[in-house]
Amino acid sequence: QHLRRTVFFWEKRPVEDRFFQQNVTRWVDPISIGLMLLAALFLIRNACCIILEDNVAQQVHFCFTGLMVMICAIFYFNMLDRINDVLQTMITDQEIINHSKPVEKMQNIVHNISRSGDTERDIVYSFSHTHTVPAKVLHYIWSIYYLIGKILGALVVLAFFAQVESETINRFLLGSLLISGAASGGFMLELGPSTISLLRLSLYKPFYVGDLVTLNKTGDMAMTEAVVGFVENITMMYVVIRNFEMKQVWISHKAFNELVIQNWTRRPTKTVLLNIGISTKAPKTKVQSLQEFGKKWIKGSPDIQQNNYQKCHITSTSNGYNLEIIFFPMVGVSHRQIRQKFLMSFMSAAERLNVPFVPLQLMQNFCEDCEVGNVEAMSAAAHAAKEVVLDDLLPDPDDMLERGKE
C-alpha cells in the first residue's frame, strides 16, 4: 500500500504529502488482499506437501495450485476489464468535448469544405462524419487484444484443470507473449506505432478533429516543408489532413510519431503582423510622425491588448523604411476587423503627411511625389509635417468592435 501511495502518480491522495498521510483510515487495501491470499496459499500448499503422505500431498498440491490459478485468472480478467473501462471513459470524455461549441464549429467547417455537393461523390471520397475521437479508434485496436487475451486466459485455466503438462502450458504462454510483443512492437500489422500514436492523441489531446494544424519535423514556422490544414479524420493507420488546396493528406501513425504539431486553433487571439514600406525619399520628420501616430493608435485602441507585446518601429531600410507593426487584439475581437480599422486610419494619416509607400518586394525605391529630392522642398515638407494634426484619427475609446466574431 505504501508503494501504491508513493510511486503510482495516478492514485488519489487525501493530502499533498504523499509520504506522511495522516488521513488514511483504511487499513486493508483491496488490491493487497489477493496478493496476500496467493502468498498464504503458496505457503500452506508447501507445508501440506511436507507434512502429508505423497499420494495425499499430490491431490492437495493440485487443489491449492488450481485455487491459485483461479485467483490469478480473476486478477487477469479484472485487469483487462479495468483497461477497457478506462478506454470507454476516455471515449465518453472526448465525445463530450466534441459537443462543445468551439470544437463543433471547427468540425462543421471541415464537414462543409470536404463536401462537393454531389451525393454519390461525397459517399465515395468523403468521410461520413468529421467527429472521430482517437480513443474510439484506439478501442478498436484494443478490442483485438481484449478478445484474444480473454480467450487465452480461459484456455490456460482449462488446460490446467485438464492436467495438460506444465511445460506445454509454459510454451503456450511464452508463444502468446512473443506474438503480442511482436504486434505491439510494430513487427506485425504495424499495430505498435498506431497504438502508441493513438494512445498519445487520446491522453494528451494535442488536437481534435477539425483543428487547424501545422505538421513538420522541426517545428519551424516555414511552410515550405510542412503539412498545413484541417484535421479531417483519424483512422486506425492514418491521420488525414485536408490542406488548403483541398487535397487529402494521409500521414501514417509511424511517420506521425516523428512530427511536431502546431495547433493554430488553440490560439486565444490572432496576432496582427504588418510590414509597411515607406520611401527613403520621404522626409524623416514625416516618417517619424507617421511611426509615432501608429504607436499612439495602438496604445489608444480599446480593442487591442495593452498588457501584451506591441511593436511599431522601423526595423530596416533595405527597400525603404520598413515599419514593422505587431499587436494582439482583445479576446473575441476579429483580427481582420481590427487590422482593417488600423490600416484605414494609418493610410489616412499617411495621406495628410504626404508620405509615399513602396512595395517591399521591389528592389527599386521610387516615389511619385514631384521634386521631393529638392533640398528646399524637403525642408518645407518637414516644416509642414509638424503642423499636420492627426489626433482626430486616433481610435475612439467608446467605438469598440463587436466581440466573438472571426
Side-chain angles (χ1 to χ4, degrees):
Q1 184 175 359
H2 173 73
L3 291 176
R4 279 186 62 203
R5 302 294 182 185
T6 56
V7 177
F8 299 146
F9 63 89
W10 54 82
E11 293 293 341
K12 295 181 179 179
R13 305 183 180 92
V15 293
E16 294 182 358
D17 191 348
R18 57 181 182 174
F19 295 103
F20 302 98
Q21 296 188 16
Q22 301 178 357
N23 296 335
V24 178
T25 58
R26 187 175 63 188
W27 290 91
V28 179
D29 196 319
I31 295 180
S32 64
I33 294 176
L35 299 176
M36 295 302 296
L37 181 59
L38 285 174
L41 290 174
F42 177 79
L43 294 175
I44 295 173
R45 184 194 66 177
N46 291 346
C48 291
C49 291
I50 296 174
I51 296 173
L52 300 176
E53 296 181 356
D54 292 342
N55 57 345
V56 179
Q58 291 180 359
Q59 299 297 326
V60 173
H61 184 277
F62 179 79
C63 293
F64 273 99
T65 306
L67 184 58
M68 294 168 63
V69 168
M70 291 297 297
I71 294 174
C72 291
I74 291 173
F75 266 101
Y76 174 69
F77 290 139
N78 285 337
M79 180 189 70
L80 294 179
D81 293 336
R82 181 74 178 270
I83 296 174
N84 191 67
D85 292 340
V86 170
L87 288 177
Q88 292 289 354
T89 303
M90 293 169 64
I91 293 173
T92 303
D93 292 343
Q94 293 183 16
E95 287 179 344
I96 292 174
I97 292 173
N98 277 353
H99 287 88
S100 62
K101 289 184 178 179
V103 177
E104 190 174 14
K105 172 189 172 183
M106 298 302 297
Q107 291 178 351
N108 289 334
I109 292 175
V110 175
H111 181 273
N112 293 332
I113 66 175
S114 61
R115 296 299 186 273
S116 63
D118 187 343
T119 305
E120 293 185 0
R121 181 182 177 86
D122 291 340
I123 292 175
V124 175
Y125 293 115
S126 301
F127 292 98
S128 58
H129 56 79
T130 54
H131 50 79
T132 307
V133 294
K136 183 175 288 187
V137 183
L138 178 63
H139 189 265
Y140 294 152
I141 299 177
W142 160 250
S143 61
I144 301 174
Y145 292 96
Y146 186 60
L147 177 61
I148 295 176
K150 290 241 175 179
I151 293 175
L152 291 178
L155 289 177
V156 170
V157 175
L158 292 175
F160 174 82
F161 285 105
Q163 296 186 357
V164 178
E165 293 183 1
S166 59
E167 185 177 353
T168 303
I169 297 177
N170 292 335
R171 289 179 178 177
F172 178 75
L173 289 174
L174 180 60
S176 301
L177 291 175
L178 289 176
I179 294 174
S180 300
S184 301
F187 298 103
M188 297 175 59
L189 303 176
E190 294 188 358
L191 289 180
S194 300
T195 305
I196 294 173
S197 175
L198 290 169
L199 181 61
R200 289 174 178 171
L201 296 178
S202 302
L203 288 176
Y204 304 110
K205 303 179 182 65
F207 56 79
Y208 306 118
V209 172
D211 284 1
L212 178 61
V213 297
T214 297
L215 305 175
N216 55 27
K217 291 187 176 181
T218 61
D220 191 7
M221 296 299 293
M223 303 297 182
T224 54
E225 298 182 358
V227 178
V228 185
F230 296 93
V231 181
E232 184 174 356
N233 212 306
I234 300 172
T235 68
M236 191 177 294
M237 294 295 179
Y238 295 92
V239 176
V240 185
I241 305 294
R242 179 76 67 165
N243 65 14
F244 291 141
E245 296 179 353
M246 296 295 104
K247 298 177 182 177
Q248 281 186 344
V249 182
W250 293 65
I251 305 173
S252 66
H253 286 291
K254 184 176 182 180
F256 187 81
N257 285 332
E258 301 177 357
L259 298 178
V260 177
I261 304 170
Q262 300 179 54
N263 194 326
W264 296 85
T265 307
R266 297 189 179 180
R267 294 176 294 176
T269 185
K270 298 179 181 179
T271 311
V272 174
L273 170 61
L274 300 170
N275 282 283
I276 300 175
I278 303 174
S279 174
T280 52
K281 295 181 180 180
K284 64 179 182 180
T285 308
K286 290 186 176 183
V287 177
Q288 185 174 1
S289 299
L290 188 60
Q291 180 267 332
E292 291 176 353
F293 167 78
K295 198 170 184 179
K296 287 181 181 179
W297 197 99
I298 295 173
K299 289 289 185 182
S301 175
D303 296 316
I304 295 176
Q305 297 182 24
Q306 299 301 325
N307 58 347
N308 210 330
Y309 181 76
Q310 297 176 355
K311 184 176 182 180
C312 184
H313 298 288
I314 296 172
T315 56
S316 67
T317 56
S318 57
N319 295 328
Y321 296 104
N322 182 24
L323 185 62
E324 187 175 19
I325 301 166
I326 302 175
F327 59 83
F328 294 85
M330 296 290 291
V331 176
V333 174
S334 171
H335 74 288
R336 299 182 184 90
Q337 293 183 10
I338 188 63
R339 181 176 57 196
Q340 176 179 314
K341 188 176 180 180
F342 172 81
L343 285 174
M344 295 303 293
S345 299
F346 191 81
M347 293 303 172
S348 298
E351 287 181 1
R352 293 189 187 182
L353 291 170
N354 195 23
V355 173
F357 295 101
V358 295
L360 294 177
Q361 289 81 4
L362 297 181
M363 298 304 295
Q364 180 182 1
N365 195 351
F366 62 92
C367 176
E368 296 180 358
D369 196 4
C370 297
E371 298 182 357
V372 71
N374 187 278
V375 178
E376 296 180 358
M378 292 185 65
S379 177
H383 180 72
K386 298 180 181 179
E387 300 178 356
V388 176
V389 179
L390 302 175
D391 292 342
D392 60 312
L393 298 177
L394 293 174
D396 184 359
D398 298 327
D399 182 20
M400 294 188 294
L401 295 174
E402 184 177 357
R403 264 53 168 178
K405 288 188 177 182
E406 290 295 332

